[in-house]
Amino acid sequence: MKKLTAMLAMLLSVSILLCACGSKADGGDTADDSNSGEGDKILVGMVTDMAIDQAEWLQNLVAGVDEYNKSNEYNVEFKVIEATDVSEYEPKLRALAESGYSVIMGMYSAMVDPILAVAADYPDIKFGSLDGNIENIADYENVGEFGLDRLQTGFLAGCAAALMSESGLVGIAGGADDPTINAIIGGWQQGIAYINDKDGKDVQDIVAYVNSYTDPTTAKELGLTLINKGCDVIGAAAGGSGGEQLLLCRLGLLLSRGLHRRAAAAGQCAELL
């Protein structure tokens, strides 16, 4: 619940900030008054790179957004839209823009180019990127970016994996070899090292990349490869490529359903918080 509240608070803060920071032509009305005039709802859309039912954190987010929309305390309405294939990114971002949304957010590096393309055509709309790592972002007046603390989530996942492992070998599948995913993997490896030092274990890890956030079939094959190499716990940081397709078998232990199930994986992690 704390994670959900924090995510909603972050989205709300980003939305209000992006609207408030709109450029002004002459110091008077904001550039996007047509979308968010006084008394009107501020429409905020978020395009995800995975099906909502593939990620527990996203299901919780959507449930929280639905609950928030009912209370509508800040007169902001959120909408979350799935885009499970790269070819859907730009059309769905553009559809939100054409529907009068004041703030539109996408996620991760694969969605950066579509965000920038649509943002260029709609200079009066504010766009945001979650962990997109946009180069020269100051050059884009109506685009902002925000991020999550991936190091901490990866650290707890690594702790859980090391505590669970009986074979002494664990694996993690990343969506791409990029800064956001590598921050998660770095945290994962630090968590493993922490448990090794604390409990006298010698758990090793294997890192593999799916090279896609929307390819569960390749992710499944990669998961099987990790299992065949001896991994008895697998973590996923691969967007829509992770999810249920990476749950391949039990091997006598629970395989990770992705980093967002980390706390349930090992009760001992509670003492780290």
Side-chain angles (χ1 to χ4, degrees):
M1 182 58 69
K2 288 183 179 179
K3 283 180 60 183
L4 175 58
T5 301
M7 175 66 88
L8 286 174
M10 178 186 67
L11 289 179
L12 179 59
S13 298
V14 169
S15 303
I16 293 174
L17 181 61
L18 286 172
C19 286
C21 292
S23 60
K24 298 186 179 181
D26 56 5
D29 295 337
T30 58
D32 57 344
D33 274 348
S34 60
N35 288 338
S36 56
E38 185 177 355
D40 295 336
K41 285 184 179 179
I42 298 173
L43 301 180
V44 179
M46 183 172 185
V47 177
T48 78
D49 66 348
M50 67 187 81
I52 292 170
D53 62 3
Q54 283 190 317
E56 185 180 14
W57 72 269
L58 192 52
Q59 294 169 31
N60 290 339
L61 175 62
V62 171
V65 165
D66 290 342
E67 184 175 345
Y68 170 80
N69 283 337
K70 294 176 183 177
S71 66
N72 210 16
E73 181 180 357
Y74 294 98
N75 207 31
V76 177
E77 181 177 320
F78 288 106
K79 184 174 185 179
V80 181
I81 296 178
E82 300 175 351
T84 57
D85 188 87
V86 174
S87 64
E88 297 179 320
Y89 293 169
E90 184 170 333
K92 292 195 173 181
L93 289 164
R94 193 171 295 278
L96 288 172
E98 293 171 351
S99 298
Y101 277 73
S102 304
V103 179
I104 300 171
M105 291 177 280
M107 56 175 59
Y108 309 138
S109 57
M111 211 175 290
V112 166
D113 287 344
I115 289 172
L116 296 180
V118 179
D121 293 337
Y122 293 88
D124 295 340
I125 296 176
K126 308 306 171 189
F127 291 80
S129 172
L130 170 62
D131 286 332
N133 300 300
I134 301 174
E135 294 184 4
N136 302 316
I137 191 169
D139 295 340
Y140 307 99
E141 293 185 0
N142 62 328
V143 180
E145 62 180 358
F146 56 103
L148 304 176
D149 193 335
R150 303 297 186 180
L151 190 63
Q152 289 190 10
T153 58
F155 177 84
L156 288 179
C159 289
L163 287 166
M164 291 169 61
S165 180
E166 294 182 359
S167 72
L169 188 62
V170 301
I172 185 167
D177 185 3
D178 67 25
T180 297
I181 296 302
N182 288 334
I184 299 173
I185 293 172
W188 159 276
Q189 292 173 331
Q190 290 180 32
I192 293 170
Y194 175 83
I195 295 300
N196 283 344
D197 181 65
K198 178 176 178 290
D199 291 0
K201 302 186 74 170
D202 186 26
V203 177
Q204 303 298 313
D205 78 304
I206 298 176
V207 177
Y209 295 100
V210 183
N211 293 318
S212 172
Y213 295 99
T214 57
D215 188 356
T217 300
T218 299
K220 179 178 179 180
E221 294 172 355
L222 193 61
L224 285 170
T225 298
L226 291 172
I227 289 173
N228 290 334
K229 289 183 177 181
C231 297
D232 61 353
V233 182
I234 299 174
S241 294
E244 299 300 326
Q245 291 297 325
L246 210 49
L247 264 177
L248 302 173
C249 62
R250 290 187 176 274
L251 297 177
L253 290 172
L254 175 67
L255 294 180
S256 172
R257 294 185 62 165
L259 300 184
H260 310 287
R261 294 300 295 270
R262 62 191 179 281
Q268 296 99 313
C269 283
E271 66 189 47
L272 303 176
L273 304 178

